[in-house]
Every structure is written in C-alpha cells, then in structure tokens.
Amino acid sequence: MGICEGRVAIVTGAGRGVGRAYALKLAEEGAKVVVNDLGGTAAGDGADLSPAQEVVEEIRKAGGEAIVNGADISDWAQAQAMVQQAIDTFGGLDILVNNAGILRDRMMVNMSEDDWDLVIKVHLKGTFAPCHHAANYWRLESKAGRQRDARIINTSSGSGLFGNIGQANYGAAKAGIASFTLITARELSRIGVTVNALAPRAQTRMTEGLREVSGEMLERRDPEWIAALVAFLASPAASDITGRIFAEAWGFGYTVGDGWKHGPRAAASRDASEVEGPLRHALAAAGYNAGIERDTFVNP
C-alpha cells in the first residue's frame, strides 16, 4: 500500500523531466494518474503524444493505472476536458500537479511580444485554468456532502523567487504562480483543498546547456528527489500543510520559503525634499533582495 493508494491525480507536463518523475512516483505510491503532455519542444513548438504514452505504458507495466491526455493546459476548454477525463475514467479527482512549462529566454530588451505572451500563457494561465476547473469540481463535491481531501501542487522557480537574468518572462510567471498559490490556499481551505508550490532544481531538457554538472551534483539533481516531496504533499498525511512555497527542492533538501518580510521603515513626508535622508538610512540598514548583491549596482 502506497501513501497515495486509491487517489486520482493529474500531472501536467508529465511526458518528460520532473513531470515524468512525478507521474511515476505517484503511480508507484498507488495513485491513478492522468499523464498530460502536449509533447511540444522546450520552446513550446509542435505536439507529440508519444512521450506521455511512454510514461503511461511504463506505469501500466509496473501494475499501475494511467491514461494519456494531450491537452494544451492553457486552453480553457481543453483544461476543463482534462479534469473531466480524470473524473469520468477514474471516478473522481484528488490531486492536481501543475508542472507543464516552456522556456523562451531572452534579455528583456531583446524579448519579443510573442516570447512574453506564450511563456506567461503556458505557465500562468496553464496553472490557473486546470486549478479553476478542478476547484469547481471539488466545490460541488463539498456542497453535495462528499468533500474530498484534495491537493494542488504548483511549480514555481528560483527564477521567480530570486530572479535570473534573461528570464523576465519565465520569472514573472513563476513569481505569479507563487502568489497564486498563497491566495488560492486561503480561498480553498474551506472545502478541504490544500495548495502548495515548489521550485525544483533538476537536470532536465529545460536546464540543458545552462550549466555543466557531474558527480554528486548530477545525482542530487535527479528528479526523483523532488518527486518524493510531491508524492508526500499529495498524500492524506499532508492535509495540514497548505500555503507553503518550497523555495528549493532537490537532493540536497527541501527549503521552506519564508516569503517577503517588512524591513526597516523610513519616516514618511509630504515634502519630497525630506524623503531622501530617512529613506537612505533605512536602505542602508536593510538586507538586499535574494539574488541581489550589494555590488550589483554602482551607487553615486
């Protein structure tokens, strides 16, 4: 008996990389899995169901239950149909793991409108649309007296939480997902739904070429380390964990994000000429945002 025995899960972007590891781990722990993947390139071009089909076949070969779904999760109607497919096939839905994503890295001044729009659409709307339809199913179940112990697990990124040059589109979307997670965790708690997010650090096709890793570092970037956290958060044992952002998830550990905090306060003034002194004093006493070093900028 696995920790997710009998539960029904949707994993988006599950044909490759960390999504594949999530689907396999959830199945290993007893969940019935809808393996969603449009099958496009890392930049979001094309479509191919074969990666998702291969994951389904691997799950079935191991004795689990899984089906393929090729929906574009950023399409409203397709996201709704994906949720309905899980319900119609397996009799319900308990777990939604929003993992699908693409990359179109550019320096902001070189980024096209299409680079911006598509990345925001896939990541941000592609998280919102499945969540909306799944939450409405859970809300109706709750009203009917059949409240489900449900889970939403979203995917943020260190780029969104700490910033990464060349990823203004991707980072903005991932930061938005973190905020979306905090808000929806509060909204859905009354119907038994927990909502958490994590920022995975793994070696996948999305990170190919970004850095050279080997040895222990490569081993610790195996997606299975992250999949174990996802399976636990998806299990009944994690019913009291919600509204959390795991700011780092990999083989070296799971870091609980501490979020934004108020720092030193400068006295306010109605006179613009009086703002500088107190403000500079407060800035000097404050730490820099994560990812920003004091020597990043040349101060006058």
Side-chain angles (χ1 to χ4, degrees), residues 142-182:
S142 180
K143 284 185 175 182
R146 299 185 298 267
Q147 182 164 302
R148 301 184 80 95
D149 183 27
R151 305 281 181 272
I152 294 174
I153 302 168
N154 295 324
T155 305
S156 186
S157 168
S159 182
L161 301 176
F162 307 120
N164 193 30
I165 290 173
Q167 293 190 317
N169 50 3
Y170 179 78
K174 291 304 192 183
I177 288 170
S179 293
F180 176 82
T181 297
L182 299 178

Side-chain angles (χ1 to χ4, degrees), residues 90-266:
F90 296 126
L93 178 65
D94 306 289
I95 303 157
L96 171 61
V97 182
N98 291 300
N99 166 75
I102 64 169
L103 284 177
R104 289 199 174 186
D105 292 354
R106 301 276 192 283
M107 296 298 283
M108 190 273 290
V109 295
N110 296 322
M111 190 173 290
S112 70
E113 183 178 12
D114 188 55
D115 290 335
W116 177 271
D117 287 348
L118 190 59
V119 169
I120 296 295
K121 180 175 183 280
V122 171
H123 287 278
L124 202 49
K125 188 178 179 183
T127 296
F128 165 59
C131 283
H132 172 87
H133 296 302
N136 272 288
Y137 163 69
W138 291 323
R139 182 170 62 93
L140 292 174
E141 287 290 281
S142 180
K143 284 185 175 182
R146 299 185 298 267
Q147 182 164 302
R148 301 184 80 95
D149 183 27
R151 305 281 181 272
I152 294 174
I153 302 168
N154 295 324
T155 305
S156 186
S157 168
S159 182
L161 301 176
F162 307 120
N164 193 30
I165 290 173
Q167 293 190 317
N169 50 3
Y170 179 78
K174 291 304 192 183
I177 288 170
S179 293
F180 176 82
T181 297
L182 299 178
I183 295 165
T184 53
R186 297 174 67 182
E187 292 182 352
L188 299 179
S189 62
R190 62 187 177 83
I191 58 170
V193 181
T194 70
V195 190
N196 295 288
L198 56 88
R201 297 189 68 174
Q203 199 68 12
T204 69
R205 68 172 183 157
M206 296 280 278
T207 59
E208 284 178 2
L210 297 180
R211 61 186 66 82
E212 291 295 328
V213 295
S214 60
E216 184 185 10
M217 179 64 74
L218 181 60
E219 196 273 331
R220 296 284 182 166
R221 292 176 72 91
D222 186 320
E224 192 172 11
W225 296 99
I226 311 163
L229 172 61
V230 168
F232 167 70
L233 292 174
S235 75
S239 62
D240 61 333
I241 302 173
T242 193
R244 292 292 191 175
I245 311 296
F246 294 90
E248 195 174 54
W250 59 337
F252 288 108
Y254 312 129
T255 304
V256 181
D258 252 351
W260 289 92
K261 297 179 179 178
H262 292 288
R265 176 180 293 177

